[in-house]
Amino acid sequence: MIPRTADVVVIGAGVVGASVAHHLAARGCRPVVLDAGPGSTPRATGGFRAQFPTAINVRLSLLSRGKLRHFADEVGGDPGYRPCGYLFVARGAAELEALRAAMRVQHESGLGESREVAPSEIPSINPAVAGTFAGGAFCPTDGFIRPVQILEGYLASAIRRGATVIRDAACTAIRVAGSGLDVVTSRGTLSAGAVVNAAGAWAGRVARLAGLHLPVAPLRRQVASTVPTSALPEDMPMTIFTEDGFHLRVRDGRVLLLRPADLPAADPFSTEFDEGWLAGIAERTRARIPALKDVPIDRAQCWAGLYEMSPDRHAILGPAPGLENLHLVNGSSGHGVMHAPALGQLAAERILDGRFTSLDVSELRPSRFTEGRPVESVEFL
């Protein structure tokens, strides 16, 4: 039976919504989480990094990293954080200078361990990489996490603390009701003092239910998986070629291969796999990772998922302009899982305290696009 009232309704039971629910419940609030069905979290590959070119993303990562390190005590369970490192390799001078510029931001923002690596050092960090490089960047505290374990940990913690999760509850309208909001769902209507839009790639649709425009759109990304192989070690760092974004990691005995590409579809929310994309991945893998040249791609284990993209590729965080009790936690642009611990804590602060206390996130305010003040950044994976 769906409850008639809630302190806070969280729309979206992915990792971000689960984190918001946990952080609210941990402070005595009793949120209701609406789960409309499978989202994007299980399709994430589980990378974690603080090597960003903008201070706000570096700081979000550092806040999240601290919370991941104490996840077992705070939440329960294992987030799977393993600091195997991220290695960025640059072939040209312009790519290397972009990495250097990013490192300057990282060091100023508190990530002191990121460093430049000389071409001669790249093979010692990842012997599998072939090619001639101008240099690179490496951070040993970047690495990997387990998205589903984080999601399940946050949801279980929220439920233990009094949260309610309503499955198969699609939101159909959000209406102003006195000083609160009514959330109309396929299973009934809830009245709440505040509502959180944590709907991931579907966040724009949810905002329209309240009569608002939210510039968040889905973007399909694909992952190729090899057959099980011991050709590369499980603790190999995530390795990224800055020239085109091709990157790879090892997970559960398979190598995951990725490269950003425009994959148009009649349905922007489609996660149908684009077969033509595989040829380019296979070609790059053979040329750049010789150890994989005879390791086949396992088509049955390849998949596609959706990013939730904002115009400046940064999260949108805070009350919706004109509707202060609708809180937005959207648009992480491929970084939602790694930043979920920080975003959940910050959202709970804004809802319960009326302000952000852990971090200055004014750059991420929802009004920045209409103000003509997006977060400025260099092109960077």
Side-chain angles (χ1 to χ4, degrees):
M1 187 75 176
I2 192 167
R4 297 181 63 182
T5 62
D7 295 338
V8 180
V9 171
V10 180
I11 301 173
V15 69
V16 172
S19 177
V20 173
H22 157 77
H23 285 92
L24 288 170
R27 294 189 53 187
C29 180
R30 295 193 173 225
V32 172
V33 182
L34 301 181
D35 178 14
S40 298
T41 301
R43 297 172 183 265
T45 56
F48 180 89
R49 64 177 165 118
Q51 286 184 91
F52 283 98
T54 60
I56 187 60
N57 270 348
V58 175
R59 290 169 181 152
L60 284 173
S61 288
L62 293 179
L63 179 56
S64 281
R65 190 180 72 188
K67 292 178 71 62
L68 288 169
R69 286 171 168 167
H70 296 95
F71 193 88
D73 293 331
E74 178 192 340
V75 180
D78 178 10
Y81 169 60
R82 292 189 298 126
C84 298
Y86 261 53
L87 172 65
F88 290 86
V89 294
R91 291 193 191 275
E95 296 168 37
L96 183 57
E97 185 48 45
L99 290 175
R100 287 170 173 162
M103 277 185 279
R104 289 192 288 271
V105 172
Q106 292 155 18
H107 295 165
E108 291 169 359
S109 304
L111 183 70
E113 59 267 37
S114 65
R115 62 184 180 87
E116 183 175 345
V117 296
S120 59
E121 193 179 357
I122 290 172
S124 67
I125 298 173
N126 189 347
V129 174
T132 302
F133 302 102
F138 181 68
C139 182
T141 52
D142 289 348
F144 307 118
I145 52 181
R146 291 285 183 170
V148 173
Q149 289 176 201
I150 296 172
L151 165 63
E152 291 176 346
Y154 276 139
L155 272 186
S157 171
I159 292 168
R160 286 196 307 271
R161 290 168 166 84
T164 301
V165 178
I166 309 296
R167 305 289 182 184
D168 301 318
C171 182
T172 57
I174 300 172
R175 301 170 182 158
V176 175
S179 61
L181 295 171
D182 281 350
V183 180
V184 183
T185 81
S186 56
R187 298 187 58 188
T189 299
L190 296 89
S191 297
V195 174
V196 178
N197 182 349
W202 297 266
R205 285 182 172 179
V206 168
R208 286 195 294 274
L209 298 176
L212 301 175
H213 170 66
L214 177 64
V216 172
L219 178 66
R220 184 166 40 145
R221 286 288 182 254
Q222 300 198 152
V223 182
S225 172
T226 68
V227 298
T229 178
S230 59
L232 299 177
E234 192 83 19
D235 61 354
M236 184 193 83
M238 178 79 84
T239 302
I240 302 104
F241 292 75
T242 59
E243 64 190 277
D244 60 1
F246 172 79
H247 55 293
L248 70 156
R249 64 159 297 191
V250 182
R251 189 177 79 178
D252 298 331
R254 298 173 183 264
V255 183
L256 304 184
L257 309 163
L258 306 95
R259 183 179 71 89
D262 292 331
L263 301 168
D267 177 5
F269 293 91
S270 170
T271 55
E272 182 178 353
F273 196 83
D274 187 312
E275 300 289 341
W277 174 86
L278 276 177
I281 279 288
E283 179 182 355
R284 284 169 173 79
T285 302
R286 287 191 295 268
R288 300 177 188 182
I289 313 294
L292 296 178
K293 65 182 177 66
D294 295 322
V295 178
I297 290 174
D298 185 344
R299 173 61 188 87
Q301 295 299 314
C302 300
W303 74 90
L306 297 175
Y307 282 1
E308 49 168 325
M309 303 299 295
S310 74
D312 60 8
R313 299 190 173 199
H314 284 71
I316 299 170
L317 182 63
L323 195 57
E324 287 286 304
N325 46 1
L326 176 61
H327 296 262
L328 308 176
V329 193
N330 308 120
S332 288
S333 304
H335 314 131
V337 174
M338 68 179 76
H339 286 164
L343 293 173
Q345 176 172 311
L346 290 160
E349 290 170 358
R350 183 60 180 81
I351 293 166
L352 300 178
D353 302 328
R355 61 191 180 94
F356 299 108
T357 57
S358 297
L359 197 63
D360 179 2
V361 290
S362 55
E363 284 183 274
L364 304 180
R365 64 192 180 280
S367 62
R368 70 184 185 267
F369 302 112
T370 56
E371 294 167 1
R373 300 184 65 183
V375 179
E376 294 185 5
S377 177
V378 296
E379 281 297 318
F380 202 80
L381 181 67

